[in-house]
């Protein structure tokens, strides 16, 4: 992380002093390297340094941090919207240098993941890290946590799990990889229109300044949505929130498609109506599937493969970002395909595929320890039965209604 922050500082120099579009493109490509590391390590680290009961809160906090970043960036661009000349874009680039130093100090002071240390056989260091993370806890509780870590790793050793990329596609890990990757993909399927809200609303007929205002409101609502999600996940769990969120996003995207049938340039009120729907969409998205997906993708993989699974999943997510980055502008631009708001039909259809997959394949991991999740996958429990299945940690078997199943 520290190395990536240093690289980020260096690559921002390329952005700031760029004199051609090719230098900007090169700087963007190079900045993608540290950004990719931040996208994967932050979520896995958050899942491994918190106790089971706090895991959904800290992992979904990653989603809030993304929203805070988008809000800050959009607000900065809105502030320089009326400025003329090269400094209108060079100053926003320069402001990025304000972040790496305080972030580096925080990362330097943060303890290493105890799970990572234990997997590496550095047990004494893992215990020391746990003591930093769990202050003022009884020695017995600390010993129980270490014992559970050892037991979880032992279960995965019995399943012959290693940390190679090839193992992502072997045995039960193949199913876990599928769920991790496609969960991230489902998240991206839900956000093409809200992610391009400024451009989308410009093409729908709103003024540029008003489109930026909508984006600022959108990201502010996202932050509030994550806080609400913290209360909802405790009551409803991961699977229910994700299915509900995808269903809502699909329905409202279809609604946007219907509203876009008339010419929104001639009927400006329709463009404002679409803007309001996008704000509601984004708010509900961050109350439901948006932040909770960050929790699920860190709970599904095995401990040995968590980092690689999330990295692969995020890579698949970014591929979808690239595809949508090509599709959305062409669909909504009047000079290109000129679908406008009618593109909501297309993206709503994509969300339908994601919803069907999630209904049959996405398990509920609420309240489960990493060891219990390992045993559920080891015994081949179906996704819709995860929440109702009882796990016997001692015998590594599962049961429902008094009857043992699997082994």
């Amino acid at each position: 992380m520290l190395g990536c922050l240093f690289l980020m500082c260096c690559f921002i120099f390329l952005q700031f002093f760029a004199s051609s579009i090719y230098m900007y493109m090169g700087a963007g490509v190079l900045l993608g390297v540290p950004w990719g590391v931040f996208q994967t390590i932050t979520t896995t680290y958050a899942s491994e340094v918190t106790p089971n009961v706090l895991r959904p809160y800290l992992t979904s906090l990653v989603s809030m941090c993304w929203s805070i970043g988008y809000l800050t960036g959009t607000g900065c661009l809105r502030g320089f919207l009326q400025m003329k000349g090269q400094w209108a874009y060079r100053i926003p680039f320069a402001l990025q240098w304000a972040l790496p130093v305080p972030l580096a100090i925080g990362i330097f002071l943060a303890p290493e993941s105890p799970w990572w240390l234990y997997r590496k056989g550095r047990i004494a260091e893992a215990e020391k890290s746990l003591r930093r993370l769990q202050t003022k806890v009884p020695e017995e509780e600390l010993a129980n946590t270490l014992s559970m870590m050892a037991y979880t790793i032992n279960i995965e050793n019995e399943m012959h799990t290693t940390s190679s990329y090839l193992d992502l596609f072997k045995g039960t890990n193949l199913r876990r990889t599928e769920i991790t990757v496609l969960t991230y993909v489902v998240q991206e399927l839900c956000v093409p229109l809200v992610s391009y809200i400024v451009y989308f609303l410009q093409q729908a007929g709103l003024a540029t300044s008003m489109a930026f205002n909508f984006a600022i409101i959108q990201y502010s609502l996202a932050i509030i949505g994550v806080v609400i999600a913290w209360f909802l996940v405790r009551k409803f769990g991961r699977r229910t929130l994700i299915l509900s969120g995808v269903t809502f996003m699909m329905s409202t995207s279809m609604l946007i498609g219907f509203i876009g049938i008339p010419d929104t340039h001639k009927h400006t009120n329709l463009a404002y109506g679409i803007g309001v729907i996008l704000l509601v969409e984004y708010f509900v998205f961050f109350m439901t599937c948006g932040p909770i997906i960050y929790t699920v993708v860190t709970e599904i993989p095995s401990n040995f493969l968590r980092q690689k699974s999330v990295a692969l999943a995020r890579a698949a997510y970014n591929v979808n970002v690239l595809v949508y980055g090509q599709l959305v502008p062409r669909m909504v631009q009047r000079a290109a395909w000129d679908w406008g708001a009618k593109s909501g039909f297309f993206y709503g259809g994509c969300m339908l595929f994601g919803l069907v997959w999630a209904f049959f394949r996405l398990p509920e991991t609420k309240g489960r320890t990493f060891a219990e999740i390992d045993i559920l996958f080891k015994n081949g429990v179906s996704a819709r039965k995860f929440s109702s299945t009882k796990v016997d940690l001692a015998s590594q078997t599962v049961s429902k209604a008094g009857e043992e199943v699997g082994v």
Side-chain angles (χ1 to χ4, degrees):
M1 291 286 284
L2 292 173
C4 287
L5 284 173
F6 174 75
L7 289 176
M8 188 174 173
C9 289
C10 297
F11 299 151
I12 292 172
F13 269 98
L14 290 178
Q15 274 191 326
F16 183 77
F17 292 105
S19 57
S20 69
I21 189 65
Y22 301 106
M23 289 185 69
Y24 286 121
M25 183 176 69
V29 171
L30 292 173
L31 280 167
V33 176
W35 287 340
V37 174
F38 298 150
Q39 288 175 352
T40 56
I41 291 182
T42 50
T43 48
T44 54
Y45 178 81
S47 70
E48 293 182 347
V49 298
T50 53
N52 184 48
V53 69
L54 296 178
R55 194 186 307 141
Y57 305 112
L58 191 57
T59 50
S60 60
L61 186 63
V62 174
S63 180
M64 180 187 285
C65 291
W66 278 99
S67 297
I68 292 172
Y70 284 132
L71 176 62
T72 304
T74 304
C76 177
L77 293 175
R78 175 66 179 86
F80 285 93
L81 198 60
Q82 305 303 322
M83 188 175 181
K84 305 297 182 181
Q86 61 175 332
W87 294 108
Y89 61 89
R90 291 196 191 276
I91 292 177
F93 286 147
L95 290 174
Q96 296 177 96
W97 278 317
L99 298 175
V101 172
L103 289 175
I105 294 172
I107 293 169
F108 179 77
L109 297 175
E112 182 56 86
S113 164
W115 282 97
W116 183 84
L117 291 169
Y118 212 107
R119 288 194 298 268
K120 297 296 182 181
R122 296 156 60 176
I123 300 173
E125 293 179 58
E127 182 178 352
K128 181 179 178 181
S129 179
L130 270 178
R131 290 185 184 279
R132 291 185 61 189
L133 291 165
Q134 301 181 15
T135 57
K136 298 180 181 180
V137 297
E139 287 294 319
E140 183 180 356
E141 184 177 335
L142 190 68
N144 288 339
T145 302
L146 286 168
S147 298
M148 181 57 71
M149 291 170 62
Y151 188 66
T152 303
I153 292 171
N154 182 59
I155 292 173
E156 295 180 7
N157 285 334
E158 291 177 0
M159 296 167 66
H160 306 291
T161 299
T162 65
S163 58
S164 71
Y165 276 101
L166 189 60
D167 276 311
L168 289 171
F169 308 100
K170 290 182 179 179
T172 58
N173 286 324
L174 176 60
R175 179 187 174 195
R176 300 173 83 160
T177 301
E178 173 216 330
I179 295 170
T180 306
V181 171
L182 291 184
T183 299
Y184 250 145
V185 170
V186 166
Q187 184 188 48
E188 177 57 22
L189 289 178
C190 291
V191 296
L193 297 183
V194 291
S195 294
Y196 291 85
I197 183 171
V198 174
Y199 187 75
F200 183 78
L201 292 178
Q202 284 177 318
Q203 295 300 311
L206 292 189
T208 300
S209 58
M210 184 57 67
F212 269 94
N213 291 341
F214 267 100
I216 291 172
I217 297 171
Q218 171 182 276
Y219 297 131
S220 301
L221 289 173
I223 296 170
I224 299 171
V226 174
V227 176
I228 296 174
W230 289 342
F231 295 94
L232 296 178
V233 70
R234 182 173 55 190
K235 183 178 177 71
F236 298 105
R238 286 81 156 139
R239 174 182 162 90
T240 300
L241 284 183
I242 291 174
L243 291 177
S244 301
V246 176
T247 301
F248 180 84
M249 297 295 287
M250 177 192 70
S251 303
T252 49
S253 294
M254 291 290 189
L255 176 60
I256 288 173
F258 281 110
I259 295 175
I261 292 176
D263 190 344
T264 53
H265 280 264
K266 295 180 180 179
H267 304 86
T268 311
N269 287 337
L270 293 179
Y272 278 99
I274 291 171
V276 172
I277 293 174
L278 289 175
L279 292 180
V280 175
E281 268 195 341
Y282 212 63
F283 182 53
V284 174
F285 176 76
F286 276 91
M287 284 172 51
T288 54
C289 50
I292 305 307
I293 280 174
Y294 287 93
T295 304
V296 173
V297 298
T298 59
E299 292 178 329
I300 295 298
S302 67
N303 282 285
F304 281 102
L305 294 171
R306 182 172 296 116
Q307 189 68 55
K308 290 181 171 61
S309 295
V310 174
L312 179 64
R314 196 67 194 191
Y317 173 96
N318 288 334
V319 168
N320 279 269
V321 171
L322 291 174
V323 173
Y324 275 169
Q326 297 300 312
L327 285 178
V328 174
R330 286 171 171 79
M331 284 184 172
V332 303
Q333 193 176 54
R334 294 176 67 86
W337 301 351
D338 195 23
W339 289 21
K342 294 189 288 293
S343 57
F345 290 127
F346 174 80
Y347 295 114
C350 293
M351 294 174 205
L352 177 60
F353 284 107
L355 178 62
V356 172
W357 172 86
F359 180 79
F360 289 104
R361 300 293 289 171
L362 182 66
E364 176 58 74
T365 53
K366 175 188 175 184
R368 299 291 190 184
T369 64
F370 289 138
E372 289 176 318
I373 293 171
D374 283 340
I375 293 170
L376 287 165
F377 278 110
K378 179 181 178 181
N379 287 275
V381 178
S382 68
R384 286 176 288 171
K385 294 181 179 178
F386 255 55
S387 59
S388 59
T389 301
K390 297 180 180 179
V391 176
D392 188 325
L393 286 172
S395 62
Q396 298 183 26
T397 57
V398 295
S399 61
K400 182 180 180 181
E403 288 189 25
E404 186 176 293
V405 295
V407 172

